[in-house]
Amino acid sequence: MLISNPYECAMEFAVNTDRDIFITGKAGTGKTTFLHKFREETAKQVAIVAPTGVAAINAGGTTIHSFFQLPFTPFAPTPEGRSSLISRIKMNKRRRSVIRELEVLVIDEISMVRADVLDAIDAVLRSIRNRREEPFGGVQMIFIGDMHQLSPVAKTDEWSIISDYYDSVYFFSSHVIQKYPPTYIEFDRIFRQSDNQFINVLNEVRNNSLSSEGISLLKSRYFPEFIPQAEENYITLTTHNYSADSINNTELDKLKSPIHEFHAVIKGNFPENAYPIDEVLELKEGAKVMFIKNDIETPRRFYNGKIGVIISIDGDQITVECPGDRDEIIVTPLIWENIQYNTNPENNTIEEKIIGTFEQIPLRLAWAITIHKSQGLTFDKAIIDAGNAFSPGQVYVALSRCRSLEGIVLKSRVNYESIRVDDQVVQFSSYKQDHKSIINELDFAKNKFRTSLLLQLYNFSSLCNDAQSWLNITKGEEPSFNEETIPFAESIFKQLNEIENVAEKFRVQLERIVSREIVDTEFLSERLNSSSDYFAEKLDYLMASLKRSPATTDSKAVAKSYDESLSMIYNSAALKMHMIKHTACNFSVETYYSARNSFIKPDFNIKSYSRGKSTVQLKSKHPDLLNELVQIRNYISENENLPPYIVASTKTLVQMADYMPETEKDLLKIYGFGKKKLARFGAQFLEVINDYIAENDLQSEMIHFEKHKS
């Protein structure tokens, strides 16, 4: 495939590699379009986050702090700081599941993300995914934004805390980016402006190289007394909310038509800081308005930033007339969605769930708007009042919203210091690679990613680790289980180790095959086909073994942990078998993801909790007596509303069945019995034991218990 432009190159990196990438470009070069297209077309497990609520809603994702449950306090990238962060994060099972299944994390508006926040994200991903040696826990990162626009906010007290660790507040100064820099891709085709003279001025502002000619051109647009005609549809860009609100309210008051209130309909969870527009919108006929959402109809009648005038209001239907349009636009309420990421329990894929909606007329008053809120919008005519610009990039954002120099009026003199872009941003921009070297890196990354997926498919070490962890936990709870549980868990771990030992040798073969300059695809397919039968057979036997789990425990909590771990191992093995079978004939990135996304969890229903069971899989010399003791234990548990293991643990039950204590004195020698428990439950157990001894003409075995104890 011939890659002719940065846009196609970025899509190839995002879809067909696992390389971290930074996608940037001047305003109006298609970064948002890229995000939406990638989201629609990728087969990878993706989540999108942004630093603010509004940015997150516009990107179709959620906020960084919400997704990762990060505190708003600064993060110190030290071992103590990481430990403190992880201990403070209270993340539920749903969020952890999403993060574990995540393959790609997109951070939109990366220019506003502080360095310490990115290091905090790195720390959380490494911890929750249990991949502490890999940057971002093995998740592919896609950073989207323009560092020449709005910068991160770090209050004086916050910067005083983190300045000891960082050269700057920007994301590229984070420790993880310094150590693992992403591939830098810049979109260079400008869709918003076509005026070459204006484009040159914007480039000069962007690169800290404003020439005397550029200064002269900007000065030529300085008209402090300019008052636009109503029909000219100018919008004023200001630095502060109060200025924009004051202009809009003053102009609205001038209109003699009655005011109409439109109340947003908010359903579910939609936080106030993410409202894309006022909850109560006040409009009048004759008001200048701006659309703040793209039209959902085809052909598109309006776009985010289009300006017009309200000519009529009828209920919740507003008619807007826009200069140059042949037809009027009838506007009705539109819906913004607040999403939450979940994992589908059937196939472990990440899904978006709408947890809240905000329905409102997609208009705002458009005599004025803040520069901050103008980001992402396009204007034909704008009055820029940026004399009080308070952060680097604000003037550039304001200028770059406009299509042409002729459409700009500077209401106040531009403070050329505020135009100046931070030298560290300019230096970071110099790291951009040329197109040829990026293409070479892309070819290498694609081959590496394909190889990585192939080797990952035949790597069972993660499953072995899960089984080892499950075995260790089970051994720690040994008294709660029947005697067959530990040998069973050890046999499962042994099976997986044997599979991994064979797989390790096979991976060496695969690496030799795919590392050749020209890969023999026919030979590769032949090896995959023959090996798939072996691994499928072994995995099938493993899954059958897991279904025969003999474990029984009288602790509900222990049973839950055991059952969940067993289910996780079973499903992971089933997924491996499914994917090995479906990729054996033709392994590729596409077939890998097609197989993964078509997987549906098989039925697996193991219950190790013994309460309520009529029979249990416990090993005893007197199984019938043991079952009777279990039933009386469960009966007492129900009536006394106590957990079964409080009444009598598994070990207690087995000792009573094996040694058949006949007296209270004997019963006190049994594991778990003290005077209080004897007084409460002893008589009922002794009655069952003595009846069993009499009915079967047996004798107590407590003499052997004494010898065993000694």
Side-chain angles (χ1 to χ4, degrees):
M1 177 181 177
L2 183 64
I3 307 296
S4 60
N5 60 64
Y7 188 97
E8 291 176 353
C9 188
M11 192 62 74
E12 280 292 301
F13 266 108
V15 173
N16 290 316
T17 83
D18 57 358
R19 187 79 173 86
D20 295 346
I21 55 175
F22 169 56
I23 297 173
T24 189
K26 304 175 182 71
T29 51
K31 297 185 293 295
T32 301
T33 303
F34 169 86
L35 171 56
H36 292 316
K37 186 177 181 186
F38 170 68
R39 183 187 187 188
E40 290 169 3
E41 295 183 1
T42 186
K44 294 180 179 179
Q45 308 274 54
V46 179
I48 300 169
V49 297
T52 68
V54 173
I57 294 296
N58 290 337
T62 186
T63 64
I64 290 171
H65 284 78
S66 171
F67 187 81
F68 290 102
Q69 297 291 285
L70 296 179
F72 286 94
T73 50
F75 169 70
T78 62
E80 296 77 18
R82 283 186 281 273
S83 177
S84 174
L85 173 68
I86 299 305
S87 66
R88 291 169 64 191
I89 288 178
K90 306 302 180 189
M91 194 174 290
N92 61 29
K93 183 181 176 182
R94 175 190 61 78
R95 290 183 190 275
R96 289 179 180 274
S97 177
V98 169
I99 287 175
R100 287 191 181 110
E101 298 300 328
L102 191 62
E103 291 171 325
V104 183
L105 180 68
V106 179
I107 303 184
D108 197 22
E109 303 291 5
I110 190 65
S111 70
M112 293 191 283
V113 178
R114 282 197 331 235
D116 65 309
V117 172
L118 199 64
D119 276 336
I121 291 171
D122 174 53
V124 173
L125 286 172
R126 291 187 194 220
S127 174
I128 291 179
R129 293 168 62 83
N130 199 24
R131 294 166 72 171
R132 289 174 171 79
E133 301 306 313
E134 299 177 63
F136 299 105
V139 173
Q140 181 185 17
M141 303 296 292
I142 299 179
F143 308 108
I144 301 178
D146 184 0
M147 300 309 299
H148 296 77
Q149 297 192 32
L150 299 178
S151 55
V153 175
K155 298 173 185 174
T156 304
D157 59 332
E158 293 173 332
W159 181 240
S160 68
I161 294 172
I162 62 175
S163 58
D164 289 340
Y165 308 105
Y166 298 105
D167 294 332
S168 81
V169 73
Y170 301 105
F171 91 98
F172 54 72
S173 289
S174 63
H175 290 204
V176 65
I177 294 298
Q178 291 288 305
K179 190 172 182 180
Y180 304 99
T183 298
Y184 190 124
I185 302 174
E186 182 170 348
F187 292 173
D188 52 10
R189 183 183 173 191
I190 298 175
F191 298 95
R192 183 173 292 147
Q193 293 94 13
S194 57
D195 178 346
N196 287 331
Q197 192 178 44
F198 183 39
I199 290 172
N200 288 337
V201 171
L202 288 176
N203 285 340
E204 289 179 358
V205 171
R206 183 181 178 86
N207 299 323
N208 268 359
S209 58
L210 189 60
S211 63
S212 56
E213 291 82 5
I215 291 173
S216 296
L217 281 171
L218 289 179
K219 283 182 176 177
S220 73
R221 305 310 303 162
Y222 175 54
F223 303 110
E225 307 301 325
F226 179 78
I227 299 176
Q229 299 297 313
E231 66 276 6
E232 289 185 295
N233 274 326
Y234 275 90
I235 186 169
T236 298
L237 303 184
T238 71
T239 53
H240 292 80
N241 277 313
Y242 67 81
S243 299
D245 291 343
S246 175
I247 293 169
N248 284 327
N249 291 334
T250 299
E251 294 298 326
L252 189 67
D253 289 342
K254 290 178 183 177
L255 300 176
K256 304 303 180 186
S257 52
I259 198 161
H260 294 259
E261 285 190 354
F262 297 88
H263 293 259
V265 177
I266 303 161
K267 295 179 180 177
N269 182 352
F270 206 107
E272 191 172 346
N273 65 355
Y275 288 177
I277 193 173
D278 293 338
E279 183 178 359
V280 179
L281 192 60
E282 294 185 342
L283 300 173
K284 291 182 180 181
E285 291 180 1
K288 184 185 293 186
V289 290
M290 177 178 69
F291 290 90
I292 62 161
K293 194 172 174 65
N294 291 330
D295 192 8
I296 58 175
E297 293 187 14
T298 304
R300 194 169 73 171
R301 300 164 300 157
F302 54 85
Y303 55 84
N304 196 358
K306 186 170 185 173
I307 293 175
V309 175
I310 295 175
I311 59 174
S312 71
I313 299 176
D314 182 12
D316 64 355
Q317 185 170 288
I318 299 174
T319 304
V320 177
E321 187 177 66
C322 298
D325 284 4
R326 186 183 64 181
D327 300 319
E328 299 162 346
I329 301 171
I330 296 175
V331 189
T332 53
L334 291 181
I335 294 175
W336 287 261
E337 296 172 345
N338 183 26
I339 70 154
Q340 180 184 81
Y341 291 103
N342 295 311
T343 48
N344 184 323
E346 293 299 315
N347 56 14
N348 271 14
T349 55
I350 295 177
E351 295 182 336
E352 295 176 1
K353 177 185 177 184
I354 299 170
I355 60 170
T357 58
F358 182 97
E359 185 176 8
Q360 179 61 290
I361 300 290
L363 297 172
R364 73 162 76 236
L365 295 176
W367 287 285
I369 190 174
T370 62
I371 294 170
H372 186 278
K373 289 178 181 174
S374 74
Q375 194 156 358
L377 304 181
T378 302
F379 306 120
D380 292 311
K381 296 180 179 181
I383 300 168
I384 298 176
D385 186 6
N388 294 321
F390 54 87
S391 65
Q394 271 202 317
V395 173
Y396 174 74
V397 171
L399 293 172
S400 62
R401 299 304 95 203
C402 307
R403 291 189 189 277
S404 67
L405 196 63
E406 288 70 28
I408 292 175
V409 170
L410 297 177
K411 189 77 171 176
S412 53
R413 291 188 185 278
V414 171
N415 176 357
Y416 292 104
E417 281 303 309
S418 67
I419 282 183
R420 184 171 179 80
V421 178
D422 193 317
D423 287 337
Q424 289 170 309
V425 171
V426 176
Q427 183 181 357
F428 176 65
S429 300
S430 69
Y431 298 150
K432 181 181 67 171
Q433 300 160 270
D434 60 69
H435 186 66
K436 184 179 179 181
S437 62
I438 290 177
I439 293 299
N440 290 337
E441 186 178 339
L442 173 61
D443 290 338
F444 175 79
K446 286 172 72 172
N447 290 331
K448 180 174 174 288
F449 182 55
R450 181 173 178 271
T451 300
S452 173
L453 290 181
L454 178 60
L455 297 179
Q456 180 182 310
L457 180 56
Y458 288 91
N459 190 328
F460 296 84
S461 59
S462 178
L463 250 174
C464 287
N465 290 338
D466 289 340
Q468 178 73 75
S469 176
W470 164 66
L471 174 59
N472 291 342
I473 292 170
T474 304
K475 282 183 174 179
E477 299 288 350
E478 184 173 2
S480 296
F481 286 105
N482 58 318
E483 290 183 14
E484 294 172 310
T485 302
I486 303 303
F488 167 74
E490 289 174 336
S491 71
I492 295 297
F493 180 62
K494 183 180 178 184
Q495 282 188 56
L496 272 167
N497 264 328
E498 289 172 353
I499 294 172
E500 169 55 15
N501 288 337
V502 175
E504 187 176 14
K505 296 183 179 70
F506 183 56
R507 291 198 298 274
V508 173
Q509 295 180 32
L510 291 177
E511 282 193 274
R512 280 202 296 265
I513 296 170
V514 298
S515 63
R516 293 169 186 161
E517 193 169 334
I518 299 176
V519 177
D520 187 339
T521 53
E522 189 174 327
F523 180 57
L524 176 62
S525 293
E526 179 189 317
R527 291 299 300 122
L528 292 177
N529 260 313
S530 60
S531 65
S532 69
D533 292 338
Y534 169 83
F535 287 109
E537 181 184 341
K538 292 294 182 182
L539 289 168
D540 191 49
Y541 183 80
L542 173 76
M543 291 163 62
S545 300
L546 289 167
K547 282 188 170 181
R548 294 193 294 269
S549 169
T552 301
T553 174
D554 42 31
S555 167
K556 195 170 188 178
V558 170
K560 186 173 184 289
S561 173
Y562 177 93
D563 295 346
E564 286 179 352
S565 296
L566 205 65
S567 178
M568 181 177 69
I569 293 169
Y570 184 89
N571 288 323
S572 296
L575 175 61
K576 284 280 189 187
M577 185 168 73
H578 171 85
M579 294 188 66
I580 285 171
K581 284 182 176 179
H582 284 76
T583 59
C585 294
N586 176 29
F587 185 89
S588 67
V589 172
E590 291 76 18
T591 57
Y592 177 92
Y593 281 111
S594 175
R596 201 276 312 277
N597 293 337
S598 67
F599 173 71
I600 296 176
K601 283 185 181 179
D603 289 335
F604 183 74
N605 188 26
I606 291 293
K607 300 292 182 187
S608 58
Y609 185 42
S610 63
R611 185 171 187 170
K613 288 188 177 182
S614 58
T615 60
V616 291
Q617 295 170 304
L618 299 178
K619 191 174 180 181
S620 170
K621 290 182 278 186
H622 304 288
D624 291 340
L625 173 58
L626 179 57
N627 278 322
E628 287 187 51
L629 292 171
V630 168
Q631 289 182 54
I632 195 64
R633 187 276 307 270
N634 292 346
Y635 173 78
I636 295 170
S637 169
E638 291 280 358
N639 284 324
E640 299 279 346
N641 196 26
L642 291 170
Y645 66 92
I646 294 294
V647 180
S649 71
T650 300
K651 186 173 181 179
T652 304
L653 293 170
V654 171
Q655 282 191 5
M656 284 194 290
D658 282 352
Y659 298 104
M660 298 181 292
E662 295 179 283
T663 66
E664 290 186 352
K665 184 179 178 181
D666 286 343
L667 198 54
L668 281 172
K669 297 172 184 176
I670 296 296
Y671 173 85
F673 259 98
K675 290 182 179 179
K676 288 186 178 179
K677 189 175 287 188
L678 177 67
R680 290 184 72 181
F681 315 128
Q684 296 176 75
F685 285 115
L686 287 173
E687 182 181 357
V688 171
I689 294 168
N690 283 305
D691 285 348
Y692 182 81
I693 290 172
E695 288 170 8
N696 293 279
D697 195 22
L698 298 171
Q699 289 184 338
S700 171
E701 301 278 346
M702 285 302 292
I703 186 171
H704 300 298
F705 182 80
E706 294 292 349
K707 289 179 181 177
H708 171 74
K709 292 289 283 184
S710 62

